[in-house]
Amino acid sequence: MFTQTFTRTIAKRVLSSDLIDLLTGPHGVDRYTELVTPTWTAGEARAKVVDVRRTTPRSVTLTLAPNAAFTEGHTVKAGQFVNVTVEIDGRKYSRCYSPANVEGSTQLELTVGVHDGGLVSTYLYERARRGMVVGLDGVGGDFVLPVHRPKRILFVGGGSGITPVMAMLRTLVAEQHVRFRRGEIAFVHYARTQEEACYREELAGMRGVRVLHGYTRSGDGDLQGRFGADHLAAAMESPDAVFVCGPTPLVEAVRQHCENVFTESFVPPVIEAPANPTGGRVSFADSRVDVVDDGRPLLEQAEAAGLKPENGCRMGICHTCTRRKTSGTVRNLVTGAVSTAPDENVQICVTVPVGDVEIAL
């Protein structure tokens, strides 16, 4: 083990040296090492798909083995998300996915739910295979377990919102939260049907966790209807903390009936562009493209002009679309914050111009 670690350290130093950089310029050493092994890159975080399981009619579970460029620079806490990049028809697309594996695992487990019209989710469901290589770019999210674990914890998940919850559940089970900390855990999961309920068999055998299912379209689960006071009473009365991930109506229902609620939602917020666009000049300086502001987010205006900026969630979460605003004023449609200073980074998927703006794109 020591010899392998020592060898990797020496190899990393050699590959990142100025001499190697000079000899492999202008493309860099990664363009050559990836010809041998696609994940053998010094600067780009990537992962190889080592297992693919399609256990429900609308989801695929991928097990990823990240390369050192990712594992040495990132720590994924249970509940957080990673940015995953795939190439489809020659174009790269990034999306946020929450790993479902126990915290500290050397591999990432992603369960991707297929969404109607979802380009990346459909592609992965239909085309993902062992040996496939995907890009990894960053870790984010504040939907995590507190350092000091609450004793009585209620989890609520809807649809693909089960993945960050599974990471938390697996982590607490590994810590023997119920046994050693004398804690209590309950999980309410909502899916359209029993067949579409991810991790159903594993949850059934998860010791120390009270699991209740609600099936919104078939009505044959443990719970009937939507989350309310009766569902809360059936799962856990007066929990110390509640973690909920799912569609906005589910999150709001839990907030209405519970205290100490921690939330995460990957449903895009309703963003209303200004009714009266400024008509200012929007300059995408690096591409030498100018357009007249039509009120839409900068990402949409760039795409309408024929540009193809990298983007992911399109809802202000993943930061994949972040670009430098060199001058001008913009407004964030999610937070309402106005940015006037030059040379600021902005998320162009949720940012609109306020007058003339220049973006490094």
Side-chain angles (χ1 to χ4, degrees), residues 21-182:
D21 186 58
L22 176 64
L23 293 174
T24 57
H27 303 295
V29 67
D30 284 354
R31 295 289 79 81
Y32 296 91
T33 58
E34 68 182 2
L35 296 176
V36 180
T37 302
T39 55
W40 190 21
T41 55
E44 294 186 17
R46 298 179 182 176
K48 178 186 289 186
V49 177
V50 296
D51 189 41
V52 178
R53 291 177 289 130
R54 295 175 175 86
T55 56
T56 79
R58 293 178 61 85
S59 70
V60 58
T61 298
L62 311 176
T63 302
L64 308 182
N67 65 1
F70 181 82
T71 57
E72 294 178 3
H74 301 87
T75 299
V76 186
K77 297 181 179 179
Q80 289 188 307
F81 61 81
V82 297
N83 294 327
V84 178
T85 300
V86 298
E87 185 172 312
I88 305 174
D89 296 331
R91 183 175 176 182
K92 292 183 177 181
Y93 298 86
S94 297
R95 297 292 186 269
C96 300
Y97 294 114
S98 296
N101 50 272
V102 65
E103 188 172 306
S105 174
T106 58
Q107 296 184 331
L108 302 177
E109 179 179 304
L110 308 180
T111 292
V112 180
V114 178
H115 301 286
D116 295 336
L119 176 65
V120 175
S121 63
T122 301
Y123 176 83
L124 290 174
Y125 180 78
E126 295 178 349
R127 306 278 295 276
R129 66 193 184 282
R130 292 184 181 182
M132 177 180 177
V133 175
V134 300
L136 298 177
D137 180 22
V139 176
D142 300 321
F143 187 63
V144 296
L145 292 166
V147 175
H148 300 289
R149 312 297 201 221
K151 286 189 176 297
R152 305 178 70 252
I153 306 175
L154 171 62
F155 293 99
V156 182
S160 58
I162 191 175
T163 53
V165 171
M166 281 301 299
M168 294 180 177
L169 285 173
R170 286 169 164 172
T171 299
L172 289 172
V173 169
E175 295 174 352
Q176 300 193 59
H177 177 80
V178 173
R179 180 181 176 187
F180 289 150
R181 304 188 184 190
R182 298 180 181 178

Side-chain angles (χ1 to χ4, degrees), residues 53 55-57 59 61 109 111 159 162 166 169-170 187 189-207 209-215 218 220-222:
R53 291 177 289 130
T55 56
T56 79
S59 70
T61 298
E109 179 179 304
T111 292
I162 191 175
M166 281 301 299
L169 285 173
R170 286 169 164 172
F187 177 36
H189 181 232
Y190 297 94
R192 302 199 305 182
T193 64
Q194 178 175 301
E195 291 71 26
E196 294 183 19
C198 302
Y199 299 105
R200 186 164 52 89
E201 293 184 3
E202 180 180 346
L203 288 167
M206 192 170 281
R207 298 182 61 181
V209 180
R210 177 173 173 75
V211 180
L212 298 174
H213 294 280
Y215 302 126
S218 61
D220 57 354
D222 305 303

Side-chain angles (χ1 to χ4, degrees), residues 270-321:
V270 177
I271 297 176
E272 295 183 1
N276 299 310
T278 63
R281 181 180 63 87
V282 180
S283 175
F284 301 110
D286 296 350
S287 305
R288 298 182 179 180
V289 172
D290 291 356
V291 300
V292 177
D293 174 34
D294 61 10
R296 292 181 296 170
L298 287 164
L299 173 60
E300 295 183 24
Q301 297 197 50
E303 291 175 331
L307 304 181
K308 298 180 179 180
E310 189 174 355
N311 64 89
C313 66
R314 303 181 77 95
M315 55 191 288
I317 291 180
C318 72
H319 296 271
T320 302
C321 70

Side-chain angles (χ1 to χ4, degrees), residues 257-280:
H257 293 90
C258 302
E259 298 180 351
N260 299 321
V261 177
F262 301 84
T263 70
E264 183 74 283
S265 177
F266 287 104
V267 177
V270 177
I271 297 176
E272 295 183 1
N276 299 310
T278 63

Side-chain angles (χ1 to χ4, degrees), residues 199-245:
Y199 299 105
R200 186 164 52 89
E201 293 184 3
E202 180 180 346
L203 288 167
M206 192 170 281
R207 298 182 61 181
V209 180
R210 177 173 173 75
V211 180
L212 298 174
H213 294 280
Y215 302 126
T216 57
R217 294 198 177 180
S218 61
D220 57 354
D222 305 303
L223 303 170
Q224 305 298 315
R226 310 288 177 170
F227 184 89
D230 54 337
H231 291 196
L232 175 61
M236 179 185 292
E237 293 186 350
S238 303
D240 296 327
V242 181
F243 295 83
V244 54
C245 184

